[in-house]
Amino acid sequence: MVLDIFMNLMLNIGLLALIAQGLTKSDRMKRIFFRYAGKTGRWRDKILLSLLFGGISILSTYTGISVQGAIVNTRVIGVMAGGILGGPVVGIGAALIAGAHRYLCDIGGLTAAACAVSTIVEGLLGAAFSGYVRKHKWRHGDLFIITTVAEILQMVLILLIARPYEAAWALVKVIGLPMIIFNSFGLVIFIHIFNSILIQQDKKSADSVRKVLGITDQCLPNLRKGLYNVDSLNKAAEVIVEYTGEDGVIFTDWNDILCTHALHPNLDLEKLDKVPRIIMEAMENDKVCLSEHAEDDPATQGILENHAMLTAPLRREKEVIGSFSLLIHKYKISVDSDRDFVAGLANIISTQLELSELQKQKELRQKAEFEALQSQINPHFLFNSLSTITALCRERPEDARELLVVLGDYFRNTLQTKSYMIDIQEELNHVRAYLRLEKARFEERLTVEIDVPEELHIEVPQFILQPLVENAVKHGAMKRERGSVHISVSAIERGVRVVVEDNGKGMPGEIMGALAEDKMPHEKVGLANVHKRLKSIYGAAGGLHIQSSA
């Protein structure tokens, strides 16, 4: 008899293991356990799991072996697994179903009432320890001990409820040890098989993170050029296909197919001449959409014959501007993890496209500031220069002619040059042209020293130094009887230091404060413009640093 009990329990555990293995292959079950089971589960899924584990327990009752008027079985595995895997609601639901069945299938039997009560208690016990088991990573020892306690409680309940007591005691002596040991091991095996879903999901999630990081690293230089740079978008698509190992990628906007890339020639994406309806639906609904069948859309019938398409919207400032689609072979798709992967990748692509747009706007703003500064040629400087040249025409015509050439070169450089960054030696040539005109005007009253190594070459923003020198001459040096300006440029660890000094009376404190707070008066826009441009290019610490004796 004992051998028959052992053999029956072993066969039942093997059957439950096969059932568990089959359930873990179901995408539906995977979705339930990862997204809906436990505290955040949907009620319809909790009901489904309650029926499932209750049904497993009922099956265990029927496959059990009759011993001395009782049924030796593995029913505890179904109800406890329901509570541990599905949470309290599932555990209680499965226990009530299995407990009610146990009582009704053997009304008046020796252990009918006792086993019905113990089944409910075991379900409650599994539900109570669900959080603990999850928190401690499904440790086998914990599962074994919990099931052992549950089976001992069942034996106690049989002794307390079943009558006559002598028959109950004789039964427990025969079935107690085998059921405690085998059911405890059986639950460990059953949970371990289900836990393999979690392990597979963890591995897939880690692999998805690795792919996203790799794609991000490789795609960023291409995506910086925006959604409508076809060459860059093609390179990004190639990277995505290479890293994911999937079969194809499609980028679109609302009107056109912008880019397609297929891993295999037999996946002909080139025939797509318009945005498919299924992609339009994903953009219109602003959510990730899965398409497995082309239905009546002829454009995608051949594509979706063997592939599923996951489409995610691409956004800019919460506005959908296009879509990203990944084509996955149907036998490889894992719906939830692949959906999350595509959604995450689309978010990263959207973020990079937004950054590329911001970079374009920044460049346009810098260009506008540069052009605005170019246009702010002081008319007094022009008039004064022309007056100086006019006065020299009679007395020193050669000098006048030379100054006209200098003046022409100066305005040609300041008004026609479109390069934003130039070599510092070229910028200094602009400054020398300006100073040549000023020295002709002020003659001996103005002294200028320029201390710059000829071998020093570094790119600096165009028209960044001349406004500083002009300010030093106009508002500093020439406020005295004899003025001097000293310009020095020296290399430092990460660039150059440019210093413009004058012997003027200093800059008023209110002007320095207004400059620091970006509140310069409209008529003093030159210094403010230079300050903003420097900070825009080199960061907050890269603006003007002013020391004044005022």
Side-chain angles (χ1 to χ4, degrees):
M1 178 59 70
V2 174
L3 180 60
D4 290 340
I5 293 173
F6 273 81
M7 292 298 296
N8 181 263
L9 289 173
M10 289 179 64
L11 289 173
N12 276 354
I13 290 171
L15 176 61
L16 291 178
L18 289 174
I19 292 173
Q21 189 68 33
L23 291 173
T24 59
K25 300 300 182 183
S26 165
D27 285 337
R28 171 66 172 162
M29 294 306 301
K30 289 179 182 179
R31 286 196 292 271
I32 290 174
F33 279 108
F34 288 119
R35 185 164 294 185
Y36 307 123
K39 295 180 180 179
T40 60
R42 299 186 301 188
W43 276 103
R44 67 180 184 183
D45 292 311
K46 291 178 180 178
I47 292 172
L48 176 62
L49 288 177
S50 298
L51 293 172
L52 172 65
F53 286 106
I56 290 173
S57 296
I58 292 172
L59 177 64
S60 297
T61 298
Y62 282 119
T63 57
I65 183 174
S66 180
V67 176
Q68 298 181 18
I71 303 174
V72 179
N73 57 75
T74 55
R75 184 173 53 251
V76 64
I77 295 176
V79 294
M80 291 198 69
I84 290 172
L85 292 169
V89 173
V90 175
I92 294 170
L96 290 173
I97 293 170
H101 171 268
R102 175 64 184 88
Y103 180 77
L104 294 173
C105 75
D106 187 28
I107 298 176
L110 174 64
T111 60
C115 288
V117 173
S118 67
T119 300
I120 295 173
V121 171
E122 289 163 347
L124 293 172
L125 192 64
F129 281 94
S130 173
Y132 174 85
V133 172
R134 289 172 182 271
K135 181 179 178 181
H136 291 83
K137 308 295 184 182
W138 316 88
R139 290 185 306 207
H140 293 170
D142 294 338
L143 295 170
F144 187 91
I145 292 172
I146 293 169
T147 313
T148 298
V149 171
E151 283 295 83
I152 291 174
L153 282 174
Q154 181 178 10
M155 299 305 142
V156 171
L157 288 170
I158 291 174
L159 292 175
L160 291 175
I161 299 174
R163 291 294 179 270
Y165 177 79
E166 293 76 11
W169 174 245
L171 176 67
V172 169
K173 285 194 297 183
V174 175
I175 69 172
L177 186 61
M179 287 189 66
I180 291 171
I181 294 175
F182 276 87
N183 281 334
S184 298
F185 275 114
L187 183 70
V188 170
I189 294 170
F190 192 85
I191 296 293
H192 178 75
I193 293 172
F194 266 90
N195 194 33
S196 65
I197 303 178
L198 297 174
I199 295 172
Q200 291 172 7
Q201 185 69 13
D202 286 342
K203 289 181 179 179
K204 191 168 184 65
S205 297
D207 188 53
S208 295
V209 171
R210 179 188 62 79
K211 288 178 181 177
V212 168
L213 292 174
I215 291 170
T216 302
D217 182 57
Q218 295 294 318
C219 282
L220 288 186
N222 298 309
L223 294 174
R224 287 193 187 106
K225 298 179 181 178
L227 187 62
Y228 291 97
N229 188 300
V230 177
D231 291 339
S232 298
L233 209 57
N234 278 322
K235 291 177 182 177
E238 291 176 10
V239 170
I240 293 171
V241 169
E242 178 184 353
Y243 268 83
T244 61
E246 307 302 352
D247 289 350
V249 166
I250 302 172
F251 282 100
T252 78
D253 62 7
W254 283 96
N255 301 310
D256 300 299
I257 304 289
L258 301 179
C259 165
T260 62
H261 183 76
L263 185 62
H264 303 294
N266 58 350
L267 184 59
D268 187 9
L269 300 181
E270 297 295 331
K271 67 180 182 180
L272 290 174
D273 56 354
K274 64 178 182 178
V275 181
R277 188 181 65 255
I278 51 181
I279 293 180
M280 291 295 296
E281 290 175 358
M283 292 191 289
E284 289 169 356
N285 297 324
D286 193 12
K287 66 178 183 179
V288 180
C289 290
L290 170 65
S291 305
E292 296 183 275
H293 306 286
E295 297 178 351
D296 58 347
D297 187 355
T300 55
Q301 283 179 353
I303 296 172
L304 296 183
E305 182 177 355
N306 298 311
H307 293 83
M309 181 189 295
L310 273 166
T311 301
L314 300 177
R315 305 178 186 88
R316 183 174 61 213
E317 297 179 356
K318 297 183 180 180
E319 177 188 358
V320 176
I321 60 171
S323 72
F324 160 68
S325 300
L326 191 64
L327 290 163
I328 306 171
H329 206 285
K330 287 182 178 178
Y331 79 85
K332 291 173 57 180
I333 191 167
S334 177
V335 175
D336 289 322
S337 58
D338 285 330
R339 187 191 300 271
D340 292 341
F341 171 73
V342 169
L345 188 55
N347 285 336
I348 289 177
I349 294 173
S350 296
T351 300
Q352 187 54 41
L353 291 175
E354 285 188 4
L355 291 175
S356 71
E357 187 66 24
L358 289 174
Q359 180 62 30
K360 288 180 182 178
Q361 292 176 5
K362 178 181 177 181
E363 291 172 356
L364 289 173
R365 188 182 71 250
Q366 290 176 339
K367 183 179 180 182
E369 290 172 349
F370 170 53
E371 291 176 350
L373 192 59
Q374 281 183 311
S375 67
Q376 292 161 4
I377 303 299
N378 191 333
H380 292 292
F381 167 70
L382 174 60
F383 297 148
N384 290 334
S385 298
L386 290 175
S387 296
T388 301
I389 294 171
T390 301
L392 292 175
C393 284
R394 293 181 180 178
E395 301 174 6
R396 293 153 51 192
E398 290 298 323
D399 289 343
R401 184 171 61 183
E402 185 178 345
L403 288 177
L404 281 172
V405 173
V406 171
L407 183 63
D409 290 341
Y410 173 79
F411 277 101
R412 185 181 301 109
N413 289 329
T414 56
L415 295 176
Q416 295 182 0
T417 301
K418 300 302 180 183
S419 299
Y420 190 74
M421 303 292 288
I422 62 173
D423 189 89
I424 193 168
Q425 298 292 347
E426 186 177 349
E427 176 72 4
L428 284 168
N429 288 337
H430 299 173
V431 172
R432 290 187 180 97
Y434 164 77
L435 289 173
R436 178 73 183 275
L437 293 165
E438 292 288 46
K439 282 186 65 65
R441 175 186 172 195
F442 294 109
E443 297 182 340
E444 300 301 323
R445 288 185 57 209
L446 176 63
T447 303
V448 178
E449 294 182 14
I450 300 178
D451 182 14
V452 181
E454 293 183 2
E455 66 276 8
L456 180 63
H457 293 279
I458 188 170
E459 286 198 336
V460 296
Q462 159 85 334
F463 208 49
I464 207 77
L465 184 54
Q466 191 274 339
L468 303 181
V469 176
E470 181 179 352
N471 187 78
V473 173
K474 182 178 178 180
H475 300 291
M478 299 321 297
K479 294 295 183 181
R480 295 186 180 277
E481 183 65 26
R482 300 184 68 85
S484 66
V485 175
H486 181 250
I487 304 167
S488 64
V489 181
S490 57
I492 56 176
E493 184 177 356
R494 298 181 62 183
V496 294
R497 177 184 288 111
V498 179
V499 179
V500 179
E501 300 175 277
D502 65 72
N503 66 336
K505 297 179 180 180
M507 183 179 293
E510 60 269 19
I511 296 296
M512 294 177 63
L515 182 65
E517 297 175 7
D518 292 332
K519 296 180 179 179
M520 286 289 284
H522 178 70
E523 66 274 10
K524 298 183 182 298
V525 73
L527 280 183
N529 194 304
V530 172
H531 186 54
K532 288 179 180 178
R533 289 172 64 210
L534 287 172
K535 289 199 299 181
S536 175
I537 299 169
Y538 302 111
L544 296 175
H545 298 270
I546 301 174
Q547 295 180 355
S548 175
S549 59

